[in-house]
Amino acid sequence: ERLFHSRDRSDLEPSPLSRAKPIADLHAAQNFLLKYGWSKVSSPKESAGVPVGFTLAQAVRRFQKANRLPASGKLDSPTLAAMNKPRCGVPDTRLPLRDALPTPPAQPTPLGLQPRARQ
Amino acid sequence: KRFLQMLLPKSGGKQEGSPDTGASRAFSKKTLTWRLVGDAYSSQLSGDEQRYIFRLAFRMWSEVTPLDFREDLTAPGTMVDIKLGFGRGRHLGCPRVFDGSGQEFAHAWHLGEIHFDDDEHFTPLSSDTGISLLKVAVHEIGHVLGLPHTYRVGSIMQPNYIPQEPAFELDWSDRKAIQRLYGSCEGSFDIVFDWIRKERNQYGEVRVRFNTYFFRNSWYWLYENRNNRTRYGDPLQILTGWRGIPMQRIDAFVHVWSWGKDERYFFKGNQYWRYDSENDQAHTEDEQGRSYPKLISEGFPGIPSPLDTAFYERRQQLIYFFKESLVYAFDVNRNQVLPSYPKKMSQVFPAIMPQNHPFRNLDSAYYSYTHNAIFFFKGNSFWKVVSDKDKQQNSRLPLNGLFPKQSISEKWFDVCDVHTSTLNM
């Protein structure tokens, strides 16, 4: 069983295997920003000449501003802590038009990124 | 069928939502059904507890929108508007995988699906540990209805879970956000009145306070004037809050309050009841031992029934009774109708703007201590009666004139029905 000691099981401990992997490195942070709409997968043509780090820093800065963190553009401890907080799985934001890129066709559209118009 | 419904154009006449805010109305009908999917219950709480929490979460949205929500346990799954379920990792045929305990705790999808990560420690109403299932449910229902995330402090639609304070409710901005999509709550009322309470403070001094009540059908709301909303958790059933008076569709309420008199009456049909404020129930009999309810024709000779509404004018010590297009002025000291009455309502309370008048069949006449004014309600509109202060500011206003009509929902906010199945929560 999952371990607990209180009658109401309020101290129920999750098993190590069922814990979410902490966001502790660059790759995990990039995935987070992509997953929740802070950045987009860009095609080589659209990101030609733009350093990968630049777009990441932009996305991190946007995330930091929204979360009232110093907008350093860097993956510092407070930023990672904010990414690791319990949260809803619906994406947070729409990117400005110039950053908007088509979503990968295989992915269904979650509620935060709805298509603009329907025929 | 639900997918095709989604593709159909929405019904017109209402704002669809703003592309700038990312909000868009998801449903075009008034009553929505929901179900906790049978094979997707949480392993952490009892089934009844989970369903109760979801019922409450839906009711909280219903208390501030023209929508109501009904749990549907019998219809085919495809006919249920909103389906909820718990899962772990790969779950419920969903393309998004839950990540285990921590981080993502739930998500919501177009077509009305809400999934909760059962690896999270969801807790019921009484717990102050773990993640409140109620709060998460209210948030996800917000998405299903069409609201996006916001970082506004205090909003239920913030993406991160914030441990709830003792009072977790939908604040003004969340209410207005959802009302931009679905409109404000409208509808006529049976009676609206201020209820006077006399209390003693710690020094034994008598203080007079009042509360505002709106009654419709078999339920009622307490309206908190200082907060511009109804009391959290309203409406409630008349049966439980007001003992001994008719359970529904009351015609009129009058509080005769002057030196030596403090009498409160409810009217329905050809009868009336007197309410005992001290004991919080209707009197069963008067001082002479005659039982209530009594006939209006006996207690108020010359007054017809059934009535539309009535109110007590304190300075003149008259009760104005309204029926159809007529008004009757009743002298409470002489216990009779004034000789020149009945008169046309439009004569006693003339329109300031021609033709802008209820004319007949008022729903309610209400003296407000908050606004120090009398209001006439009919349908979704109200007319304010010219007061002494109005006349001082503009002497050309006719005595007891009616200002042009306004919308009730723009002065008294969020007086919303809920589904009758949730009235007893």
Side-chain angles (χ1 to χ4, degrees):
Chain A
E1 66 168 18
R2 291 164 68 184
L3 182 64
F4 62 92
H5 298 286
S6 301
R7 178 189 293 273
D8 66 357
R9 308 189 190 194
S10 56
D11 59 343
L12 196 68
E13 282 183 18
S15 76
L17 290 175
S18 69
R19 284 190 189 133
K21 205 171 163 189
I23 299 164
D25 55 38
L26 176 66
H27 181 67
Q30 281 178 318
N31 281 341
F32 175 96
L33 294 168
L34 185 67
K35 188 177 181 185
Y36 295 113
W38 296 96
S39 65
K40 282 284 195 180
V41 173
S42 55
S43 66
K45 192 176 174 185
E46 274 152 329
S47 60
V50 180
V52 169
F54 177 76
T55 53
L56 173 64
Q58 265 189 315
V60 170
R61 215 170 280 122
R62 270 199 294 273
F63 177 78
Q64 287 167 331
K65 276 185 189 167
N67 284 273
R68 294 179 190 85
L69 297 167
S72 62
K74 294 177 185 166
L75 286 173
D76 48 29
S77 298
T79 305
L80 289 173
M83 290 180 178
N84 278 290
K85 282 183 186 170
R87 62 157 294 134
C88 170
V90 173
D92 293 331
T93 181
R94 279 183 195 187
L95 292 176
L97 262 175
R98 60 183 171 82
D99 294 330
L101 294 165
T103 47
Q107 240 182 352
T109 309
L111 287 179
L113 293 169
Q114 293 168 18
R116 282 181 182 272
R118 292 187 178 277
Q119 290 294 328
Chain B
K1 277 185 186 172
R2 280 164 53 222
F3 178 73
L4 290 174
Q5 262 186 341
M6 190 188 72
L7 294 180
L8 286 172
K10 304 274 194 295
S11 55
K14 295 240 180 202
Q15 184 182 349
E16 287 294 325
S18 164
D20 292 335
T21 62
S24 59
R25 186 157 63 133
F27 298 97
S28 56
K29 54 181 182 170
K30 187 188 173 301
T31 299
L32 301 173
T33 55
W34 66 271
R35 180 187 297 165
L36 173 54
V37 175
D39 55 354
Y41 276 55
S42 172
S43 58
Q44 304 176 64
L45 303 164
S46 71
D48 284 346
E49 208 162 18
Q50 293 169 55
R51 287 170 52 217
Y52 178 85
I53 289 170
F54 291 145
R55 200 176 307 129
L56 179 56
F58 280 109
R59 187 185 149 127
M60 288 177 72
W61 282 111
S62 189
E63 288 170 7
V64 301
T65 61
L67 298 171
D68 53 43
F69 302 92
R70 176 176 67 84
E71 185 181 12
D72 190 329
L73 298 171
T74 56
T78 50
M79 301 306 295
V80 176
D81 297 306
I82 302 170
K83 292 196 284 195
L84 306 98
F86 290 80
R88 292 191 169 113
R90 294 208 174 278
H91 60 278
L92 303 172
C94 181
R96 264 170 97 112
V97 179
F98 279 135
D99 52 11
S101 169
Q103 294 174 37
E104 187 168 327
F105 49 67
H107 51 233
W109 290 98
H110 237 2
L111 305 180
E113 299 249 349
I114 299 175
H115 303 154
F116 300 87
D117 184 353
D118 212 22
D119 272 325
E120 304 299 336
H121 182 203
F122 287 112
T123 51
L125 301 176
S126 54
S127 175
D128 55 4
T129 59
I131 294 183
S132 164
L133 181 58
L134 175 66
K135 194 170 188 188
V136 172
V138 172
H139 174 102
E140 299 302 333
I141 292 167
H143 281 315
V144 167
L145 294 178
L147 294 179
H149 281 150
T150 175
Y151 280 88
R152 185 181 56 77
V153 174
S155 174
I156 189 57
M157 298 311 297
Q158 293 180 84
N160 290 104
Y161 179 79
I162 296 164
Q164 66 189 56
E165 294 139 348
F168 146 55
E169 298 286 348
L170 295 166
D171 70 5
W172 173 268
S173 295
D174 282 336
R175 292 161 181 246
K176 297 311 133 192
I178 196 71
Q179 287 165 10
R180 274 192 285 276
L181 302 184
Y182 293 93
S184 301
C185 294
E186 308 275 3
S188 60
F189 297 100
D190 295 324
I191 52 174
V192 182
F193 59 92
D194 282 348
W195 184 266
I196 302 294
R197 296 181 201 278
K198 294 175 193 167
E199 299 168 347
R200 289 192 183 274
N201 62 12
Q202 68 258 46
Y203 307 111
E205 297 164 336
V206 174
R207 298 280 185 179
V208 175
R209 292 156 62 97
F210 69 91
N211 295 111
T212 302
Y213 290 97
F214 287 74
F215 279 47
R216 176 189 290 154
N217 296 332
S218 64
W219 50 90
Y220 73 97
W221 300 259
L222 182 151
Y223 190 81
E224 296 186 1
N225 292 289
R226 70 183 72 187
N227 294 319
N228 283 313
R229 55 164 174 78
T230 55
R231 175 175 52 191
Y232 292 136
D234 282 16
L236 303 173
Q237 286 194 305
I238 294 173
L239 182 62
T240 51
W242 301 81
R243 293 183 295 167
I245 63 170
M247 293 189 297
Q248 60 181 354
R249 295 202 165 275
I250 296 172
D251 292 329
F253 168 81
V254 164
H255 183 193
V256 179
W257 194 28
S258 57
W259 288 109
K261 277 185 193 281
D262 182 1
E263 298 160 6
R264 305 153 199 252
Y265 298 103
F266 289 92
F267 298 80
K268 182 180 164 82
N270 63 352
Q271 296 175 313
Y272 71 98
W273 291 253
R274 185 173 169 192
Y275 205 83
D276 179 356
S277 182
E278 300 287 320
N279 291 305
D280 196 26
Q281 61 183 25
H283 283 283
T284 52
E285 56 186 33
D286 64 13
E287 294 92 351
Q288 285 78 42
R290 290 171 299 190
S291 60
Y292 283 100
K294 296 183 184 180
L295 292 175
I296 293 174
S297 55
E298 289 176 7
F300 300 89
I303 299 299
S305 62
L307 293 161
D308 287 330
T309 187
F311 77 95
Y312 179 64
E313 212 293 326
R314 290 178 67 196
R315 281 177 317 157
Q316 299 171 292
Q317 299 191 23
L318 297 173
I319 301 175
Y320 285 96
F321 289 98
F322 295 80
K323 183 174 172 69
E324 293 170 2
S325 63
L326 297 176
V327 56
Y328 299 72
F330 187 88
D331 186 332
V332 298
N333 297 313
R334 292 195 174 87
N335 214 49
Q336 63 185 32
V337 179
L338 291 188
S340 54
Y341 283 80
K343 294 183 183 180
K344 283 280 193 192
M345 193 196 321
S346 53
Q347 177 191 349
V348 180
F349 302 96
I352 293 173
M353 184 184 291
Q355 299 306 306
N356 195 315
H357 196 278
F359 290 115
R360 58 188 302 119
N361 299 121
L362 285 185
D363 291 327
S364 186
Y366 163 46
Y367 178 77
S368 164
Y369 288 97
T370 298
H371 299 97
N372 291 315
I374 302 164
F375 298 95
F376 290 167
F377 288 76
K378 182 174 177 179
N380 298 334
S381 305
F382 72 90
W383 289 257
K384 178 171 172 274
V385 179
V386 170
S387 64
D388 288 344
K389 188 176 174 187
D390 295 322
K391 271 240 13 117
Q392 282 165 15
Q393 290 169 352
N394 182 355
S395 58
R396 288 182 301 171
L397 290 171
L399 183 66
N400 292 329
L402 297 190
F403 286 98
K405 70 178 179 182
Q406 296 176 69
S407 173
I408 295 173
S409 62
E410 290 173 10
K411 194 166 185 71
W412 292 274
F413 300 95
D414 310 339
V415 190
C416 299
D417 285 342
V418 299
H419 197 267
T420 49
S421 65
T422 61
L423 270 174
N424 282 327
M425 295 194 75

